Amino acid sequence: MFVHNLKYTIKSLFKNKVLIFWTFAFPIILGIFFNMAFSNIEKDEKLQIFDIAVVNNKDLIYKEALNELSNKNNKDRLFNIKYVNQNKADKLLDDNKIEGYLLFKDNKPNIVVKESGTNQTILKLVVNEIEENKIIINNLTKEEIIKGNQDNPEIIAKNILKKINKKAVNFKNISNSNLSYMMIEFYTLIAMACMYGGMLGLTAINNCLANMSSKGKRIAISPTKKSVIVTSSLIGSYIVSLIGISLLLLFLIFIIHVDFGTKIPLIILLTLIGDLAGISLGVLIASCFKVNEGAKTGITIAITMFLSVLSGMMGVTLKYVIDTNLPIINKLNPNNLITDGFYSLYYYDTLNRYWNNLLGLIIFVILCLSISFISLRREKYDSI
């Protein structure tokens, strides 16, 4: 009976054209629109070279760093630099001919700007980075002086260079080679598709309920254990949903060329658990809400879209605000756990964040299914 009902569930779900559209076709269509909308955003937001001024700089480290960052032969050039006095720098700033200037007093840089903005923030970050490197170089210089090399600047410079190169070799590049903050939009799309699988789970369970379908009435009076029917229906809906998620992933990877990183087994594992979370949500709604099938479907879609928005589908800013101010919300949000799982695999070298997200999804699945099975066991009817 288990195998028979499993086959029946899969066939009946595939025959439901409306359901297949929303779970198979709609995420792919949305993916196409995402690609059209986001493909040129990062190109348009590429950092532009901007003008700054420098006043009274006598610090050798800053001279070398700023010369490199303003070198026309440097592909990572950030600045056009004007070396002027303070009065001239103030006039250039007032006339909006520079974004800001560095005023050196006692070899300490002071950032002078007229207003806040992206370029001013970049200038501040550059100064902070140079200061950190300056501290490292000064510490290494002190080590060489202690060793007795103070009378030979060439040896000091050579040894410092060796130590810097040695430290650089030990650094591990943990960032993705093609980082893109727009990837999170496609991750939310996968999360939404996983949770949309809840409609498949909902439909499969509704078919097992006597007050929702004629099949449910036959099941209620049959000698077959309800647990067998419900479990086979659950697995059938899960298989159908996985087929839809697989098609979406193949489309994103090979057609749109979304970069998911190299940890393919972990990506598959996250997708499997995420899809099960969506099925579990649908089963929970089907078993606990005493309304008609249309209303249950509406509830599933509404919950899924609301959770998708919170996880960053309509913009990564909202996700960041929630993560910063009310992190508990996204720790309980299955859409965010899926999205954040993909995000952590793409951006981070360690897997701590990934496993935490996966554990959260597993707990969500267990809670939903436990409540659902308790509710289904208590299901009784005065008449059929």
Side-chain angles (χ1 to χ4, degrees):
M1 187 64 185
F2 179 91
V3 175
H4 173 76
N5 190 67
L6 177 64
K7 292 179 180 179
Y8 174 83
T9 300
I10 293 174
K11 288 181 180 180
S12 62
L13 289 176
F14 272 117
K15 288 180 179 180
N16 191 325
K17 295 180 180 179
V18 174
L19 199 59
I20 293 301
F21 170 80
W22 286 107
T23 54
F24 280 52
F26 180 69
I28 292 177
I29 294 172
L30 201 56
I32 295 172
F33 285 131
F34 275 11
N35 187 54
M36 293 169 60
F38 302 142
S39 59
N40 292 320
I41 286 181
E42 289 182 330
K43 293 180 182 178
D44 294 339
E45 292 183 351
K46 185 178 179 181
L47 291 177
Q48 301 295 321
I49 297 169
F50 58 93
D51 297 316
I52 66 170
V54 176
V55 180
N56 297 331
N57 178 25
K58 297 179 181 179
D59 187 290
L60 181 61
I61 294 175
Y62 269 93
K63 283 183 178 180
E64 291 295 328
L66 292 174
N67 284 339
E68 182 65 22
L69 291 173
S70 61
N71 188 341
K72 293 182 179 180
N73 296 322
N74 182 5
K75 65 178 181 179
D76 296 321
R77 180 163 68 110
L78 287 177
F79 309 128
N80 290 318
I81 298 180
K82 297 177 175 67
Y83 294 92
V84 296
N85 58 40
Q86 187 173 357
N87 291 334
K88 180 65 173 177
D90 286 329
K91 188 175 188 307
L92 290 171
L93 188 61
D94 290 337
D95 294 340
N96 295 320
K97 293 183 178 179
I98 58 173
E99 301 292 334
Y101 68 86
L102 298 180
L103 174 62
F104 285 82
K105 292 182 179 180
D106 300 324
N107 286 337
K108 294 287 185 181
N110 297 286
I111 303 173
V112 182
V113 296
K114 187 176 180 180
E115 58 186 14
S116 298
T118 302
N119 292 337
Q120 288 79 6
T121 301
I122 292 172
L123 180 59
K124 182 179 179 181
L125 291 173
V126 168
V127 170
N128 290 341
E129 185 70 20
I130 295 174
E131 281 294 311
E132 290 178 6
N133 290 329
K134 184 178 176 182
I135 292 171
I136 294 173
I137 292 173
N138 287 337
N139 289 338
L140 293 174
T141 303
K142 289 177 183 178
E143 290 179 10
E144 291 300 316
I145 291 174
I146 292 173
K147 292 178 181 179
N149 294 326
Q150 66 271 19
D151 296 328
N152 197 331
E154 290 185 4
I155 292 178
I156 291 178
K158 186 176 180 180
N159 290 340
I160 288 175
L161 186 60
K162 283 182 179 179
K163 289 181 179 180
I164 290 175
N165 288 336
K166 186 176 180 181
K167 288 179 180 291
V169 171
N170 290 330
F171 284 137
K172 185 177 183 182
N173 181 10
I174 63 173
S175 61
N176 192 291
S177 60
N178 185 29
L179 290 179
S180 169
Y181 68 87
M182 297 311 302
M183 289 296 102
I184 198 169
E185 300 292 345
F186 292 102
Y187 299 157
T188 61
L189 176 63
I190 298 170
M192 184 204 74
C194 287
M195 302 310 290
Y196 260 22
M199 289 189 286
L200 295 169
L202 183 150
T203 302
I205 297 303
N206 275 343
N207 287 335
C208 300
L209 300 177
N211 61 335
M212 298 298 298
S213 69
S214 57
K215 178 193 172 186
K217 293 176 182 178
R218 294 194 298 270
I219 290 173
I221 60 175
S222 71
T224 306
K225 289 184 178 181
K226 184 184 288 187
S227 59
V228 173
I229 301 298
V230 170
T231 302
S232 59
S233 298
L234 176 63
I235 294 174
S237 62
Y238 183 48
I239 291 172
V240 174
S241 184
L242 282 179
I243 294 172
I245 294 295
S246 299
L247 291 175
L248 175 62
L249 284 174
L250 291 173
F251 174 78
L252 293 177
I253 293 171
F254 295 107
I255 305 300
I256 296 184
H257 304 295
V258 175
D259 186 2
F260 288 93
T262 58
K263 303 180 180 72
I264 302 301
L266 295 179
I267 292 170
I268 294 173
L269 177 61
L270 178 60
T271 305
L272 292 173
I273 302 300
D275 197 29
L276 185 58
I279 295 293
S280 302
L281 177 65
V283 173
L284 178 68
I285 293 171
S287 57
C288 294
F289 286 81
K290 310 302 179 183
V291 292
N292 61 48
E293 185 171 359
K296 290 181 181 181
T297 301
I299 292 170
T300 304
I301 294 174
I303 291 175
T304 298
M305 294 310 300
F306 178 68
L307 296 179
S308 296
V309 170
L310 294 183
S311 65
M313 175 166 275
M314 298 296 109
V316 295
T317 304
L318 180 58
K319 172 179 166 59
Y320 173 77
V321 170
I322 294 174
D323 284 340
T324 303
N325 300 292
L326 292 169
I328 188 63
I329 292 178
N330 275 342
K331 289 185 184 298
L332 299 174
N333 179 357
N335 289 58
N336 181 72
L337 294 175
I338 298 169
T339 300
D340 206 59
F342 284 112
Y343 177 91
S344 63
L345 287 177
Y346 183 69
Y347 282 92
Y348 297 104
D349 187 59
T350 60
L351 296 176
N352 293 340
R353 186 166 176 171
Y354 171 83
W355 292 120
N356 287 335
N357 288 318
L358 204 65
L359 178 61
L361 284 171
I362 292 171
I363 292 173
F364 177 82
V365 169
I366 293 173
L367 286 175
C368 286
L369 293 182
S370 298
I371 295 171
S372 300
F373 280 112
I374 291 172
S375 177
L376 290 171
R377 287 187 64 183
R378 292 179 177 176
E379 197 81 42
K380 295 183 183 300
Y381 308 97
D382 293 332
S383 61
I384 298 179

